Amino acid sequence: MVAQEDVIELAKRRGFFFGANGAYGGVAGFYTYGPNGAAVKDNLESAWRDRFTVRQGNMEIEAPTIMPEAVFEASGHLDGFDDMLVECPECGESHRADHLTEDNTDIEEAESLPVPEVEELIREHDLRCPSCDAALSGEPVEEFNLMFETSIGPGTGQPGYLRPETAQGIFVEFPRLKEYARNRLPFGVTQIGPAYRNEISPRKGIIRVREFTQAELETFIDPEEDEPPLHEVEDVEVTLYPATEQEDEEGEAYTTTVGEAIEKGVIGSDWVGYYLGVAQGWYERVGVDMDRFRFRQHLPGELAHYAADCWDAESEVGAAGIAAGSSGDGEEPRDGGDWIEITGFAYRSDYDLSKHAEHSGESFTVFKQYDEPKTVERAAVDPDMATLGPEFGGDAGAVADALQTLAERDPDAFDANEVEVEVDGDEMTVDSDVANFSVETVTENGEHITPHVVEPSFGIDRIVYTVIEHAYRTDEVDDEERTYLALDPEMAATDAAVFPLVSNDDRLLDLADEVTGDLRAAGLSVEYDDSGSIGRRYRRQDEVGTPFCVTVDRDGVEGDDPDTVTVRERDSARQVRVPVREVADELDALLDPEDDRAFDALTAAYDEIETGVETA
RNA sequence: GCGCCGUUGGUCCAGUGGUAGGACAUUAGCUUCCCAAGCUAAUAGCCCGGGUUCAAUUCCCGGACGGCGCACCA
């Protein structure tokens, strides 16, 4: 049994997700979330918002998905997001033209060369296809940019691009965002929303798509002063797969604590380590199986140009399924699945803010006040432009600038009667008097610094998939096979289902309606179902992961005692009889992520029913 | 993008040069007091375009989509 096929089949049949636009044949890389999937995704985003925005004291924004070309010129996506491909005329293999060139010539950074030059290099060096050794000389080099381009406004308009990561929307707005943070570091800005990449070859269902949802946190820090609150996470256990282990043939992932990994230098950045610790708890909360989870460090060659240290959170999917009975101990041997990146933790330094500052001319800095104002002596000139102007004509301004530069570098030069400066290669001589040299005493209250950025970037869709696949179970209930999703109640699309045990008794139908209303009034997402046998209805809910089923039976409405209903727990199929007037409060408490209460609390407080149903 | 394989009700499959059948699911009714398979009935399908043919779901070509491999994944 391959879990991935079963999960995809279930996802289609039960409305979690499916390829979009099927009526028109579909287009690769786009998926629609059905009712259950949309609800799970929404729950996951809420859990993320709770942990990474609210609990971290960060602020969330929502920026446009389309941004003008200039943004991506600055971010480097316009150039750096390009791949140069050359296709072999013999065997049809596509190769990275820039990589081929770098591997076979002395050229470095071939990626930054224009296409015609790369074509020329291929010809000059008679580069050959690495697969079949056919000559590539004369073959065209195609450029492929992974960004979706569009046109803003009527006519040809101005070029715009769908953002390839939500992060740019945060970086670009930094000048205002820092105001909202009252100009104090550190602060964090989050965003949850779609991002777009025109993948060459979308694959693996919802794992690799062209439109996907990211949840990103950009933490802006003062690299010299700000430290993460490591004490919060130092004892958190994590499974790490550092670069050294990946490069060692016998290397493997191991378990340690965040604190120890930082202390030993395995994790290079305190901030990255901190977020690994925070994220670890969050993954557990949303139901990622920790036996199929690890943090993997990027290999040196894999690092983005701006990143000093980078770790991915990865989950293992597509492994042969595990039976429910063995899922607890995790001892069952499993065929290996694919490790997929579900989050990237990057130390982006000041790369992004500096680039946007450079290209936009705006200030992407924060003014950092010194504890004590500094008094410094500063050499300055105040050239007499009325003299310089007539003397140097159009060069006068440049001469004045050169004098200032000289004053900073070599104040003693102004002791002489004349000073010499160089402008555009020409030596210019100026009377020292004209320069009006002086040494001023100025008070500096602080400095403008460009914050560094620490970024955890979550791929929501892949986490949704992971959570569903890791929750996928099969077992037997009363000797009948069952498929169910052991989703955490916080993630489940539906909180509870309500059934009249049989549909030929109006008392049961009426009370079931009433209970449904009560639960919905309490804010629960409730499904009502009176169709088919009771077992069938339980299975329907099991299969989409509804954690609790409430059944109205005749025993509960007969007699003089207050009406009762049965509450069934999904995974164990155990049941407890609860008074109707209590059921909304009890379920609400069971479903509250803040409340550790388990089903046992119900069986302790009320009568558990001997169902005689066995799960195995 | 390249190569190989595939595409038949909602889902999973069988099958055919003369427009198709099952299972599960769904709906209606019967039955039914707790774990999918009791009874009756109903709904629903040959990926798209072109070609060959009297006739194409079937054969051929192209495309789309999916799976795998290569490449790609900043």
Side-chain angles (χ1 to χ4, degrees):
Chain A
M1 175 181 100
V2 176
Q4 201 156 12
E5 287 170 6
D6 298 325
V7 170
I8 289 170
E9 190 270 329
L10 176 70
K12 264 195 277 194
R13 192 161 43 78
R14 290 299 197 185
F16 285 94
F17 53 82
F18 51 89
N21 306 303
Y24 291 93
V27 55
F30 296 93
Y31 272 76
T32 294
Y33 285 96
N36 283 314
V40 171
K41 178 166 180 272
D42 193 56
N43 291 338
L44 189 77
E45 288 174 7
S46 295
W48 192 89
R49 180 176 288 114
D50 173 66
R51 187 66 190 85
F52 290 93
T53 305
V54 178
R55 282 171 203 270
Q56 294 295 107
N58 294 325
M59 42 193 188
E60 178 174 357
I61 69 162
E62 189 170 318
T65 53
I66 295 176
M67 301 199 278
E69 186 164 44
V71 170
F72 301 109
E73 277 171 8
S75 70
H77 287 97
L78 209 53
D79 291 331
F81 222 47
D82 265 340
D83 284 334
M84 281 187 261
L85 298 179
V86 60
E87 192 178 320
C88 172
E90 294 294 324
C91 68
E93 292 276 321
S94 277
H95 304 281
R96 283 284 293 266
D98 49 339
H99 289 178
L100 276 178
T101 310
E102 286 169 15
D103 292 347
N104 295 292
T105 69
D106 297 334
I107 310 286
E108 286 173 19
E109 302 281 322
E111 197 177 347
S112 56
L113 296 174
V115 166
E117 266 184 51
V118 175
E119 288 176 341
E120 181 57 31
L121 282 167
I122 291 175
R123 203 168 305 135
E124 260 176 43
H125 295 268
D126 189 29
L127 298 187
R128 295 184 165 269
C129 172
S131 311
C132 71
D133 203 42
L136 293 173
S137 170
E139 291 301 312
V141 170
E142 307 277 352
E143 246 185 311
F144 186 77
N145 191 284
L146 280 316
M147 281 196 296
F148 281 103
E149 188 174 7
T150 186
S151 150
I152 304 171
T156 50
Q158 67 161 315
Y161 296 88
L162 277 68
R163 63 184 181 196
E165 59 175 2
T166 58
Q168 294 307 324
I170 295 176
F171 298 141
V172 161
E173 308 301 359
F174 179 84
R176 265 184 195 288
L177 296 173
K178 72 166 186 191
E179 292 293 328
Y180 306 144
R182 304 208 315 277
N183 296 298
R184 282 158 42 121
L185 296 175
F187 68 93
V189 181
T190 64
Q191 182 166 212
I192 303 174
Y196 303 83
R197 296 177 191 183
N198 200 0
E199 296 285 350
I200 297 172
S201 173
R203 283 286 169 86
K204 303 208 180 285
I206 205 162
I207 301 300
R208 189 128 163 250
V209 287
R210 291 186 165 126
E211 173 175 334
F212 53 100
T213 300
Q214 287 187 319
E216 295 193 302
L217 161 59
E218 310 300 333
T219 315
F220 298 99
I221 61 165
D222 177 344
E224 290 184 356
E225 290 193 4
D226 293 332
E227 295 292 341
L230 273 182
H231 60 275
E232 290 174 13
V233 299
E234 60 194 1
D235 295 328
V236 172
E237 287 206 347
V238 286
T239 300
L240 299 185
Y241 192 29
T244 49
E245 294 294 321
Q246 296 168 56
E247 284 166 338
D248 181 346
E249 270 181 38
E250 310 209 329
E252 54 184 26
Y254 57 82
T255 303
T256 181
T257 62
V258 170
E260 199 170 314
I262 289 175
E263 196 173 317
K264 291 188 173 167
V266 177
I267 300 173
S269 155
D270 288 9
W271 278 99
V272 168
Y274 170 68
Y275 283 125
L276 259 43
V278 173
Q280 170 77 29
W282 184 79
Y283 291 120
E284 288 178 35
R285 163 175 164 182
V286 301
V288 175
D289 177 5
M290 286 304 137
D291 288 337
R292 288 180 269 177
F293 177 84
R294 70 186 181 193
F295 289 110
R296 187 184 68 82
Q297 186 176 33
H298 278 205
L299 295 167
E302 198 178 352
L303 287 171
H305 44 293
Y306 49 74
D309 190 15
C310 188
W311 290 74
D312 286 345
E314 296 185 327
S315 67
E316 190 185 20
V317 298
I322 42 173
S326 62
S327 65
D329 51 37
E331 298 295 326
E332 287 289 303
R334 245 187 1 244
D335 289 342
D338 296 325
W339 287 94
I340 57 168
E341 175 191 350
I342 55 177
T343 304
F345 299 82
Y347 192 94
R348 295 180 73 134
S349 73
D350 65 351
Y351 178 85
D352 300 280
L353 296 185
S354 295
K355 286 290 180 188
H356 284 301
E358 191 182 306
H359 283 76
S360 67
E362 293 285 310
S363 166
F364 283 71
T365 58
V366 168
F367 186 73
K368 176 182 169 189
Q369 202 154 330
Y370 296 139
D371 293 337
E372 295 287 330
K374 286 183 189 169
T375 303
V376 295
E377 294 198 330
R378 181 182 291 158
V381 290
D382 182 17
D384 178 6
M385 296 310 284
T387 308
L388 290 186
E391 192 173 346
F392 296 104
D395 289 335
V399 171
D401 289 343
L403 286 170
Q404 177 61 43
T405 306
L406 179 65
E408 288 165 14
R409 203 183 59 221
D410 181 18
D412 295 340
F414 291 87
D415 291 343
N417 289 333
E418 291 181 336
V419 292
E420 289 199 344
V421 294
E422 192 180 302
V423 173
D424 284 341
D426 297 328
E427 291 285 322
M428 309 277 192
T429 305
V430 183
D431 280 355
S432 299
D433 293 349
V434 176
N436 278 324
F437 176 83
S438 65
V439 175
E440 300 169 346
T441 301
V442 293
T443 303
E444 288 183 348
N445 294 300
E447 61 184 322
H448 294 274
I449 64 166
T450 303
H452 281 205
V453 171
V454 186
E455 175 198 78
S457 169
F458 291 68
I460 293 295
D461 312 81
R462 290 178 170 195
I463 301 174
V464 167
Y465 181 83
T466 299
V467 164
I468 292 172
E469 192 186 299
H470 286 190
Y472 188 94
R473 304 270 192 287
T474 55
D475 69 352
E476 282 185 9
V477 175
D478 248 21
D479 299 324
E480 295 285 354
E481 250 190 56
R482 163 173 88 147
T483 299
Y484 66 105
L485 295 184
L487 291 173
D488 187 284
E490 192 185 2
M491 291 300 115
T494 307
D495 294 319
V498 177
F499 313 138
L501 183 58
V502 290
S503 49
N504 59 357
D505 187 331
D506 284 344
R507 291 177 303 171
L508 304 191
L509 294 172
D510 292 345
L511 184 55
D513 274 344
E514 190 184 318
V515 170
T516 301
D518 286 352
L519 297 182
R520 286 183 179 151
L524 272 57
S525 164
V526 177
E527 178 83 14
Y528 172 89
D529 189 354
D530 61 7
S531 165
S533 74
I534 189 67
R536 178 184 299 273
R537 284 177 273 166
Y538 284 140
R539 300 305 170 82
R540 280 187 190 128
Q541 296 305 321
D542 289 344
E543 205 171 29
V544 298
T546 304
F548 302 107
C549 289
V550 175
T551 303
V552 180
D553 66 350
R554 224 171 266 155
D555 289 349
V557 299
E558 284 172 350
D560 297 330
D561 295 330
D563 290 347
T564 60
V565 292
T566 66
V567 176
R568 168 190 181 267
E569 183 190 43
R570 178 192 59 211
D571 297 0
S572 65
R574 291 156 72 205
Q575 286 183 308
V576 62
R577 185 169 290 284
V578 179
V580 167
R581 72 163 74 95
E582 313 283 351
V583 72
D585 284 346
E586 292 293 354
L587 284 179
D588 204 31
L590 275 181
L591 292 162
D592 184 353
E594 298 296 292
D595 196 323
D596 295 337
R597 188 184 313 221
F599 192 71
D600 285 338
L602 276 195
T603 58
Y606 304 100
D607 293 335
E608 180 162 1
I609 299 170
E610 273 307 319
T611 59
V613 172
E614 298 284 332
T615 60

